[in-house]
């Protein structure tokens, strides 16, 4: 009985767990979220490594992220077939939501 129990739970070397495959599929599906963090990560790491002045880099990163939110909202709205006026409104709303999140975070802390 014990040997059959062990055999049912043992895997051959190199076999990939179905849970691991599922986790990797979920992570692969979230690639846009990962790519959205790359510009800010590079900017902040570059300042930390001395590529440019680190004084005030958080304000530059904030402005850059707001501009990215606007651009992503605008491009997504245009890709979905919205008119320019509507797409600009969506981009502004995305940028405004980013500002609201930062202000709320500052108020909470």
């Amino acid at each position: 009985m014990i040997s059959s129990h062990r055999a049912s739970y043992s895997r051959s070397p190199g076999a990939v767990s179905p849970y691991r495959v599922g986790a990797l599929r979920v992570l692969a599906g979230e690639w846009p979220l990962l790519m959205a963090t790359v510009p800010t990560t590079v900017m902040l790491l570059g300042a930390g490594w001395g590529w440019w002045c680190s004084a005030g880099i958080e304000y530059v990163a904030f402005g850059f992220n707001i501009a990215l939110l606007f651009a992503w909202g605008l491009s997504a709205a245009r890709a979905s077939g919205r008119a320019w006026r509507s797409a600009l409104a969506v981009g502004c709303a995305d940028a405004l939501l980013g500002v609201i999140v930062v202000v709320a975070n500052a108020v909470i802390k």
Side-chain angles (χ1 to χ4, degrees), residues 30-41:
E30 296 297 327
W31 70 267
L33 182 62
L34 178 64
M35 292 307 296
T37 65
V38 170
T40 304
T41 303

Side-chain angles (χ1 to χ4, degrees), residues 2-108:
I2 294 174
S3 63
S4 65
H5 179 71
R6 286 185 189 157
S8 67
Y9 283 103
S10 66
R11 294 190 315 232
S12 61
V16 179
S17 164
Y19 298 111
R20 187 171 292 168
V21 171
L24 290 174
R25 284 188 182 148
V26 168
L27 286 174
E30 296 297 327
W31 70 267
L33 182 62
L34 178 64
M35 292 307 296
T37 65
V38 170
T40 304
T41 303
V42 169
M43 189 181 310
L44 295 176
L45 285 175
W49 292 333
W51 293 350
W52 45 79
C53 180
S54 63
I57 192 67
E58 64 273 5
Y59 301 113
V60 175
F62 174 68
F64 185 73
N65 284 327
I66 297 302
L68 280 177
L69 283 171
F70 173 78
W72 287 332
L74 177 75
S75 63
R78 286 296 296 158
S80 70
R82 292 184 181 253
W84 276 104
R85 184 176 176 142
S86 176
L88 286 170
V90 169
C92 288
D94 283 351
L96 181 62
L97 284 174
V99 171
I100 290 170
V101 166
V102 170
V103 169
N105 190 21
V107 168
I108 290 170

